[in-house]
Amino acid sequence: MKHVTLPGGDKIPAIGLGTWHMGEAADLLQAEADVLRHGLDCGLSLVDTAEMYGEGGAELVVAEAVRARRDEVYIVSKVYPHNASYDGVIAAGERSLERLETDRIDLYLLHWRGQFPLDETVSGFERLKTDGKIRNWGVSNLDTGDMTELLGVRNGCNCAVDQVLYNLSDRGIEWDLKPKLVKNHIPVMAYCPLGEGRLLRDASLATLADRHGVTPASIALAWLLSRQQTIAIPKTSRMERIAPIVAALDVELDQDDL
């Protein structure tokens, strides 16, 4: 497993599994948990979820998947913006802990910018951190101006990641956001790293995949892993798609590939 170092010094896996659209149907919970569990068996020990996904249902899926092996897993979850007041963050964090059946969340994110001041949200995160309920906190979907504001509030420099849309066909963050994050030693966590499946049908990636003996998914993920301080969180509900995700770790893209 490749790793990325957070600003506070913690090392986390550079690739994991997302859970968007999981937990939306109770009869699929076990099958979805089985896919995550298979990912854990294959070394994908970072799992990303949110209270928004399935209105807490995805966190229940994660709880089922990591049961009896919690210490193997790095869990990321997110708080709704409308729950991001000081008291709201703490209460939402407690609810997520209960659904996840754990005593701590490894990385807790503000899902996107909402009505509450960033300093109030940060204060809530810091309280959860002090109480041992979360190990690190970060943000999601914050742009360059938001990050400038965040880094200017008390304890804002403790932000561990910014989770944003980033893949081979969505590279807008490279203009200004990513350089700012790199300058402040804040990793990017890339969601939709396969372009919601579009990149799997890309002819250029298919050519590179044939050259390396892997799938287009592996190439697209390997490209992200080659970027500075970048974490990828592909999502799949299909067991057979775990192997191409893992295979990305062994792909070395040369200059011609890039």
Side-chain angles (χ1 to χ4, degrees):
M1 176 56 67
K2 298 177 180 178
H3 291 82
V4 167
T5 302
L6 300 182
D10 287 357
K11 290 188 176 182
I12 72 172
I15 191 166
L17 293 173
T19 60
W20 188 28
H21 293 311
M22 286 188 179
E24 296 178 354
D27 59 332
L28 296 178
L29 185 148
Q30 193 59 57
E32 291 169 342
D34 286 344
V35 172
L36 295 180
R37 196 177 294 113
H38 179 55
L40 297 179
D41 292 340
C42 294
L44 300 175
S45 58
L46 184 152
V47 179
D48 175 85
T49 190
E51 67 172 341
M52 186 193 83
Y53 302 162
E55 291 300 319
E59 291 179 323
L60 299 178
V61 173
V62 173
E64 179 64 25
V66 308
R67 186 166 285 119
R69 55 194 303 185
R70 171 66 182 92
D71 290 343
E72 299 175 36
V73 189
Y74 192 94
I75 294 179
V76 183
S77 194
K78 310 179 198 72
V79 59
Y80 264 127
H82 62 253
N83 287 333
S85 64
Y86 175 80
D87 291 333
V89 164
I90 294 170
E94 294 282 4
R95 291 192 297 270
S96 286
L97 287 168
E98 184 175 352
R99 287 189 292 266
L100 289 163
E101 299 179 27
T102 184
D103 61 349
R104 82 278 184 196
I105 296 170
D106 298 296
L107 179 59
Y108 197 36
L109 310 180
L110 171 63
H111 209 150
W112 65 89
R113 186 85 186 260
Q115 62 180 315
F116 295 106
L118 290 174
D119 61 347
E120 186 173 346
T121 305
V122 170
S123 294
F125 282 148
E126 288 291 323
R127 175 58 187 271
L128 286 170
K129 190 174 177 181
T130 298
D131 291 346
K133 303 296 179 65
I134 65 174
R135 291 179 59 188
N136 294 284
W137 63 265
V139 294
S140 179
N141 297 301
L142 264 63
D143 64 19
T144 309
D146 294 322
M147 290 305 301
T148 298
E149 182 180 344
L150 175 67
L151 293 170
V153 306
R154 185 170 182 267
N155 294 316
C157 59
N158 291 337
C159 177
V161 303
D162 189 4
Q163 185 180 124
V164 293
L165 175 67
Y166 189 36
N167 59 58
L168 271 167
S169 62
D170 294 286
R171 299 177 62 176
I173 68 166
E174 294 178 353
W175 291 103
D176 51 13
L177 177 59
K178 196 165 196 299
K180 184 175 188 64
L181 296 175
V182 169
K183 181 180 179 180
N184 287 278
H185 311 290
I186 299 173
V188 167
M189 186 173 283
Y191 68 75
C192 295
L194 302 177
E196 297 187 83
R198 296 188 308 276
L199 291 172
L200 305 181
R201 301 182 292 276
D202 185 274
S204 298
L205 288 187
T207 299
L208 287 178
D210 288 343
R211 184 185 305 168
H212 286 271
V214 294
T215 67
S218 301
I219 297 295
L221 293 171
W223 178 81
L224 279 170
L225 295 178
S226 75
R227 304 293 90 185
Q228 185 177 9
Q229 286 288 87
T230 300
I231 304 155
I233 46 169
K235 181 265 178 179
T236 183
S237 296
R238 294 168 59 175
M239 201 78 74
E240 67 272 16
R241 289 187 172 169
I242 294 295
I245 295 172
V246 176
L249 290 161
D250 294 321
V251 175
E252 293 294 336
L253 298 174
D254 61 27
Q255 203 57 44
D256 287 339
D257 294 331
L258 294 171

